[in-house]
């Protein structure tokens, strides 16, 4: 029997939660460091292209699949098309697998954020740029502390999810997101007044295609998925909570647009600091944590705002983790007939064990490497550049070719919205040809580069 699903009480709740998952570590932390590593403008352009051409059509598909099937990703295929082969549900399994992996590695970075909140309260941001810049380096040398912080984060996430969707997601996201946006915009304005701002703008918006490597192209695609939370099944679970009268395409376009703007905002925040204080743009995962404390040391209210910033960043990381966690828990409840509490406990144990691996990648497992990459980077790349795009490809093929046109139209087109009528053929083209075509091309490039380069 299908359990009656809790519904979001208002549309605003969904939007805020969606912004919450958009305004998250992917945008603030991952986007700037990838842009820094991959040479700036050309990468940004490519990322925006992939969001529009691949991420958005698949995001809309995931939301639609959830809304029409009222199921999680694994069960959704059979529900949407009863004659669908059972192999489709395997794809759901891959999405669940990716969610578990991301949860664990996300927990480590969320743990870093907790550390910065605590350090900020203890005055680390008022001790000058030199000291502030070192907080992240010394944290990454302490494996056990990272494990501890990641476990605090996972326990908190599990507790909230065990308590149910409504209480968890809505209450948190609604309250914090507007505050976060205001803090962010104020900080960006401050950052843009720094001497390195012109160089930063040039770096971000002047595309130099000679800097674009094959790897950069793949990173841009993977990140488009990650940032939109697509390829995990989480958005299918989300779609299943949407009210009947919510227009999915409008929601998708809105979410993807906001998400992209937020990434650009994060770039405008971080790179002026990079160029004003000679931080290395290609520093990698530590970039945000190296630059922000420096910024907070430059004005009198900085240390206080710094604490507020990291608290907001943490809440957004928590809210994303809740979405991911909820996706897996709803799968365990629907398909494995587990109780919510039991599923939450089990999942938190599994992710904790996995989190230990990424937390120790910069200490005890420092020497476990494939080529240049440590465990943390391997985790990151396997999930984001391979696993979630595979799920995305499957979803686009299913929605493009397997679901009947009538069913699609019924879900997609809202008579009251002319734009949804106009958008339908474009989405259909994207989901049938453009997204799968680009994805297959990307996989071929990846295979080629990993064999020959
Ligand atoms: N989109 C989030 C980010 O950019 O940080 C990551 C994420 C959240 C992925 C929730 C998947 C998900 F279900």
């Amino acid at each position: 029997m299908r359990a009656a699903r809790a519904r979001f009480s208002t549309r605003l709740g969904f939007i805020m939660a969606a912004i919450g998952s958009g305004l998250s570590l992917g945008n603030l932390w991952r986007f700037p460091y990838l842009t820094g590593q991959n040479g700036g403008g050309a990468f940004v352009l490519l990322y925006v292209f992939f969001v529009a051409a691949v991420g958005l059509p698949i995001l809309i598909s995931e939301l639609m699949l959830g809304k029409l099937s009222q199921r999680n990703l694994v069960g959704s295929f059979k529900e949407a098309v009863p004659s669908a082969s059972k192999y489709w549900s395997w794809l759901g399994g891959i999405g669940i697998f990716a969610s578990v992996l991301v949860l664990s590695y996300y927990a480590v970075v969320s743990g870093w954020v907790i550390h910065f909140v605590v350090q900020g309260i203890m005055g680390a941001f008022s001790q000058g740029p030199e000291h502030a810049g070192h907080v992240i380096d010394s944290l990454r040398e302490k494996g056990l502390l990272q494990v501890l912080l990641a476990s605090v984060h996972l326990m908190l996430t599990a507790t909230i999810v065990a308590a149910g969707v409504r209480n968890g997601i809505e209450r948190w996201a609604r309250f914090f997101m507007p505050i976060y946006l205001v803090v962010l915009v104020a900080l960006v304005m401050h950052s843009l007044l720094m001497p390195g701002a012109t160089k930063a703008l040039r770096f971000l918006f002047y595309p130099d295609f000679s800097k674009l490597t094959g790897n950069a192209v793949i990173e841009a695609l993977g990140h488009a998925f990650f940032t939109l939370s697509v390829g995990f099944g989480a958005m299918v679970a989300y779609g299943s909570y949407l009210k009947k009268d919510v227009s999915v395409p409008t929601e998708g376009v809105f979410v993807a647009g906001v998400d992209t703007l937020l990434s650009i905002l994060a770039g405008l925040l971080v790179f002026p600091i990079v160029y004003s204080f000679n931080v290395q743009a290609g520093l990698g995962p530590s970039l945000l944590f190296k630059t922000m404390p420096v910024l907070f040391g430059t004005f009198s209210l900085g240390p206080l705002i710094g604490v507020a910033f990291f608290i907001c960043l943490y809440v957004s990381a928590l809210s994303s983790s809740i979405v991911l966690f909820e996706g897996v828990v709803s799968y365990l409840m629907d398909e494995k007939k587990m109780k919510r509490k039991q599923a939450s406990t089990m999942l938190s144990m599994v992710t904790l064990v996995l989190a230990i691996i990424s937390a120790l990648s910069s200490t005890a497992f420092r020497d476990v490497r494939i080529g240049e990459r440590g465990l943390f980077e391997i985790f990151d790349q396997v999930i984001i550049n391979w696993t979630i795009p595979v799920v995305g490809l499957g979803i686009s093929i299913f929605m493009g070719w397997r679901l009947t046109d009538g069913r699609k139209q019924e879900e997609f087109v809202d008579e009251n919205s002319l734009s949804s009528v106009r958008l339908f053929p474009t989405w259909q083209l994207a989901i049938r040809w453009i997204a799968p075509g680009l994805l297959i091309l990307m996989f071929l490039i990846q295979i080629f580069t990993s064999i020959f380069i």
Side-chain angles (χ1 to χ4, degrees), residues 59-116:
L59 170 65
I60 293 177
S61 304
E62 280 204 18
L63 292 172
M64 260 167 92
L65 194 57
K67 194 172 165 217
L68 69 89
S69 70
Q70 293 286 297
R71 291 295 209 97
N72 68 81
L73 182 62
V74 178
S76 61
F77 300 107
K78 225 132 188 95
E79 191 73 24
V81 178
S83 65
S85 136
K86 68 171 190 301
Y87 295 118
W88 282 109
S89 62
W90 290 15
L91 197 68
I94 304 176
I96 300 293
F97 170 74
S99 305
V100 176
L101 290 182
V102 164
L103 257 173
S104 71
Y105 124 111
Y106 217 80
V108 175
V109 185
S110 307
W112 298 354
V113 182
I114 299 180
H115 183 71
F116 273 71

Side-chain angles (χ1 to χ4, degrees), residues 245-287:
D245 57 352
V246 172
S247 154
V248 168
T250 315
E251 214 70 74
V253 170
F254 177 79
V255 168
V258 169
D259 191 86
T260 308
L261 288 178
L262 293 172
S263 288
I264 304 288
L265 216 57
L268 292 175
L269 176 65
V270 168
F271 287 101
I273 314 172
V274 165
Y275 286 106
S276 303
F277 289 89
N278 275 328
V279 180
Q280 201 192 329
L283 191 64
S286 300
L287 188 66

Side-chain angles (χ1 to χ4, degrees), residues 67-232:
K67 194 172 165 217
L68 69 89
S69 70
Q70 293 286 297
R71 291 295 209 97
N72 68 81
L73 182 62
V74 178
S76 61
F77 300 107
K78 225 132 188 95
E79 191 73 24
V81 178
S83 65
S85 136
K86 68 171 190 301
Y87 295 118
W88 282 109
S89 62
W90 290 15
L91 197 68
I94 304 176
I96 300 293
F97 170 74
S99 305
V100 176
L101 290 182
V102 164
L103 257 173
S104 71
Y105 124 111
Y106 217 80
V108 175
V109 185
S110 307
W112 298 354
V113 182
I114 299 180
H115 183 71
F116 273 71
V117 172
V118 176
Q119 288 293 312
I121 293 173
M122 282 163 43
F125 305 148
S126 36
Q127 292 167 16
E130 274 302 301
H131 176 83
H134 288 141
V135 178
I136 185 68
D137 298 334
S138 83
L139 174 64
R140 292 197 72 189
E141 276 160 19
K142 297 185 184 112
L144 228 53
L145 179 60
Q146 289 184 68
V147 172
L148 188 80
L149 291 164
S151 1
V152 169
H153 174 74
L154 283 171
M155 291 310 136
L156 199 57
T157 309
T159 312
I160 295 171
V161 171
V165 172
R166 242 197 169 104
N167 303 343
I169 306 176
E170 267 184 81
R171 210 188 304 150
W172 281 94
R174 262 213 222 145
F175 182 68
F176 270 93
M177 286 316 131
I179 304 178
Y180 190 11
L181 259 183
V182 171
V183 171
L184 202 62
V185 170
L187 286 173
V188 168
M189 291 191 322
H190 187 77
S191 199
L192 284 174
L193 292 174
M194 294 213 255
T198 323
K199 271 194 182 158
L201 290 174
R202 191 179 160 79
F203 179 74
L204 278 172
F205 300 118
Y206 178 78
D208 177 356
F209 286 96
S210 69
K211 289 194 181 144
L212 216 55
T213 59
N215 196 50
V217 180
I218 286 148
E219 297 265 28
L221 177 73
H223 190 66
F225 274 86
F226 183 74
T227 195
L228 295 178
S229 314
V230 162
F232 297 90

